[in-house]
Amino acid sequence: MEPILGSVTLTLSRWQFATTIIFHFFFVPLTIGLGFIVAVLQTAVYRTHDERYEHLLRFFGKLFLINFAIGVVTGIVQEFQFGMNWAQYSAFVGNIFGPPLAIEGLLAFFMESTFLGIWIFGKGKVSDRIHLLSIWMVVLGSSLSAAFILVANSWMQHPVGYKIDHATHQAVMTNFLAIFTNELFLTTLAHVLLASLITGSAVALGIAFYQMKREGSKRVFALGARIALVVFFVASIAMALDGSAQGVVTVKDQPMKMAAAEALYNTKSGAPESLLTIGNLKDQVLFQITLPHVLSLLATNSWNGKVQGINQLQKADVKKYGPGNYVPTVWLEYWNFRIMAGLGAVIIAIAVWGMWLLWRKRLDSSKWFRRVAIYAIPLPFIANTTGWIFTETGRQPWIVYGVLRTSQGVTRNLSPWDVGITFVGFIALYVVLGAVDLAMMLHYSRKDLATINGELPPPDGSSGQEIDSLVY
């Protein structure tokens, strides 16, 4: 009976972890990306004193703050599960994760919170230069916060700079620099920051086009759409380049993950890229559309490079780690990777189309692009989520790749009821938080500019209101 209960506890703990992380990851990219857009707008206000930038700054600044506040709450909630559900894992990685997470709390989050306070309350009380600096420091703090979390996550994916203390069964850091220069961390950090810029700019672009339907605010939001489109385009193109680089690193460090993502069961030289494969779970392909040699080119930068298959990697892992199944869920990896990459291609196409319209001076008048920009808002969120599922489930059965299995990291003496009760509590809380965030974002996104400006004091802070800086 105990093994069955242990299996249920492990499964529920994994579902709880996935739910909390995915929900929190709705907010992180949007906070970083929207913060960057707001910082650009404030820089434009500082340099030009153009009232159109001021209107946009107030509008998107309020959306940024709503998302920031809810995102912080979701981040705090998820930390509780590490001690409750993953005590063995927390004890194992404590010596490794302690420094980066401590720096994240003491440096990045402290910087982010402090300068956010200056930005909110400091308008009219500090110089314009300091006020401008404060929002850029918020963006830097948010990015650093993400970076330190990714240092820890990348170590789970590709552990370096450590040794195992067999007396305590804990990982001990031996090379601080190696952990912070982990090649998987460097490519993942670029990937996450670019995804954040795409997410923030997609939201700003869609909302700007929605607002352009109002004749009175069209001139202002047309300017906002152009700014968001440029960020969207640059980040999308850069993401394609980084995605290629990250693929090469992942094939090198986690070959099983990429083999599963391609449903490549047997090692091949000049391996084709699968556009669509329908098969059973016994390595039998029923239907397939491929691009010859493309997988080898993407994975090895060589037209005829050798890409290892699932069957050969499984045999090698059994020989290295002992008996067991080291293959992640192939269909989960295959489809999540395709949804992520496919949406990435769609996003690039939208960005190129928008830039072509901008170059032809037809961006503001294109009704089709307006519809696409509005309906494309969810695309980066879906791509981010499927990318995260692909990354995390592709590591299985390891919680720390090649070192600690997921089943070894769960808290001992934890019953399914214990996990089930907290799981239900987290779900209930997230439903409430998600509903509040969505309702507030939709409410303020749909407000017309005149209404928002009516709520706000003039840019020079001369209204005499004590809380004038809360306008953002």
Side-chain angles (χ1 to χ4, degrees):
M1 191 65 180
E2 284 190 4
I4 296 176
L5 291 178
S7 177
V8 173
T9 299
L10 174 61
T11 301
L12 286 174
S13 295
R14 291 182 63 186
W15 272 100
Q16 182 170 310
F17 180 83
T19 303
T20 54
I21 293 294
I22 288 173
F23 187 78
H24 180 58
F25 203 57
F26 287 148
F27 296 90
V28 174
L30 182 56
T31 298
I32 295 174
L34 207 51
F36 180 81
I37 297 288
V38 170
V40 169
L41 290 171
Q42 178 132 4
T43 304
V45 171
Y46 177 80
R47 293 180 63 87
T48 67
H49 301 287
D50 188 326
E51 66 173 6
R52 293 177 299 167
Y53 292 121
E54 185 74 35
H55 292 316
L56 290 169
L57 175 61
R58 294 178 183 184
F59 183 86
F60 287 111
K62 183 163 287 185
L63 297 179
F64 165 68
L65 279 185
I66 292 170
N67 187 73
F68 182 91
I70 303 291
V72 168
V73 176
T74 63
I76 293 172
V77 170
Q78 70 167 341
E79 292 182 6
F80 285 105
Q81 70 174 317
F82 285 109
M84 291 190 299
N85 295 18
W86 302 100
Q88 303 303 317
Y89 158 77
S90 299
F92 182 80
V93 302
N95 290 308
I96 303 291
F97 284 13
L101 296 185
I103 298 172
E104 190 271 335
L106 294 173
L107 173 65
F109 187 69
F110 182 78
M111 176 194 298
E112 193 178 7
S113 304
T114 301
F115 282 99
L116 184 64
I118 294 173
W119 186 65
I120 294 174
F121 298 106
K123 186 174 175 63
K125 298 179 176 63
V126 298
S127 69
D128 289 346
R129 185 170 296 181
I130 295 298
H131 197 230
L132 172 62
L133 176 65
S134 65
I135 187 61
W136 279 110
M137 294 301 285
V138 171
V139 175
L140 178 62
S142 300
S143 302
L144 286 176
S145 184
F148 288 118
I149 298 297
L150 288 174
V151 166
N153 182 267
S154 297
W155 189 84
M156 293 165 62
Q157 306 283 347
H158 179 54
V160 293
Y162 77 102
K163 67 176 183 179
I164 301 296
D165 184 336
H166 294 287
T168 61
H169 189 57
Q170 292 179 341
V172 178
M173 184 184 296
T174 58
N175 190 333
F176 183 82
L177 186 61
I179 292 174
F180 278 79
T181 56
N182 186 343
E183 60 182 355
L184 202 62
F185 160 65
L186 297 176
T187 55
T188 303
L189 175 62
H191 209 68
V192 169
L193 292 181
L194 290 170
S196 300
L197 293 180
I198 291 172
T199 305
S201 57
V203 170
L205 184 67
I207 292 174
F209 270 102
Y210 175 83
Q211 289 285 352
M212 283 168 64
K213 291 189 297 185
R214 295 189 171 99
E215 198 57 40
S217 56
K218 185 173 182 178
R219 178 172 158 268
V220 172
F221 281 103
L223 179 60
R226 289 194 285 274
I227 293 172
L229 177 62
V230 171
V231 176
F232 188 64
F233 173 76
V234 173
S236 299
I237 299 300
M239 173 66 96
L241 299 175
D242 177 73
S244 177
Q246 192 177 31
V248 173
V249 173
T250 304
V251 167
K252 175 170 170 275
D253 296 336
Q254 294 185 329
M256 182 65 87
K257 178 187 290 185
M258 289 306 297
E262 295 296 336
L264 182 70
Y265 280 89
N266 293 300
T267 301
K268 285 186 178 178
S269 297
E273 170 73 16
S274 167
L275 295 180
L276 175 64
T277 297
I278 298 176
N280 59 25
L281 299 179
K282 297 180 180 177
D283 185 11
Q284 293 176 327
V285 175
L286 305 176
F287 176 76
Q288 199 170 35
I289 302 174
T290 62
L291 296 175
H293 295 272
V294 173
L295 176 57
S296 285
L297 187 63
L298 294 175
T300 65
N301 289 328
S302 170
W303 187 249
N304 290 312
K306 181 185 288 185
V307 183
Q308 300 182 77
I310 294 172
N311 293 331
Q312 289 71 33
L313 289 167
Q314 165 67 15
K315 288 180 182 177
D317 284 350
V318 168
K319 187 176 182 181
K320 185 176 182 181
Y321 302 116
N325 180 9
Y326 299 95
V327 182
T329 306
V330 175
W331 67 265
L332 195 63
E333 293 305 285
Y334 182 86
W335 286 110
N336 274 293
F337 184 75
R338 260 138 204 85
I339 293 171
M340 175 192 70
L343 289 179
V346 172
I347 287 170
I348 291 174
I350 293 172
V352 171
W353 180 21
M355 289 301 291
W356 182 79
L357 290 172
L358 180 63
W359 178 59
R360 298 296 300 270
K361 302 185 186 304
R362 291 166 48 192
L363 182 67
D364 302 351
S365 60
S366 174
K367 293 181 180 178
W368 277 106
F369 188 79
R370 175 184 301 174
R371 294 192 184 99
V372 169
I374 294 172
Y375 288 114
I377 289 177
L379 298 187
F381 293 95
I382 299 172
N384 294 340
T385 301
T386 52
W388 192 256
I389 293 173
F390 160 72
T391 300
E392 297 306 299
T393 58
R395 186 183 60 230
Q396 299 303 320
W398 303 104
I399 194 169
V400 179
Y401 196 78
V403 180
L404 185 73
R405 297 172 192 252
T406 304
S407 57
Q408 296 172 316
V410 73
T411 302
R412 294 170 184 166
N413 302 322
L414 197 64
S415 74
W417 281 105
D418 296 331
V419 185
I421 291 171
T422 56
F423 192 12
V424 171
F426 281 162
I427 293 292
L429 180 60
Y430 283 166
V431 168
V432 173
L433 289 174
V436 169
D437 181 75
L438 187 61
M440 293 183 70
M441 292 290 282
L442 289 175
H443 175 70
Y444 282 101
S445 297
R446 291 170 173 170
K447 275 195 168 187
D448 64 82
L449 206 57
T451 302
I452 290 184
N453 283 333
E455 293 177 355
L456 307 178
D460 61 3
S462 59
S463 67
Q465 294 180 32
E466 292 297 325
I467 57 170
D468 57 346
S469 296
L470 284 173
V471 295
Y472 298 114

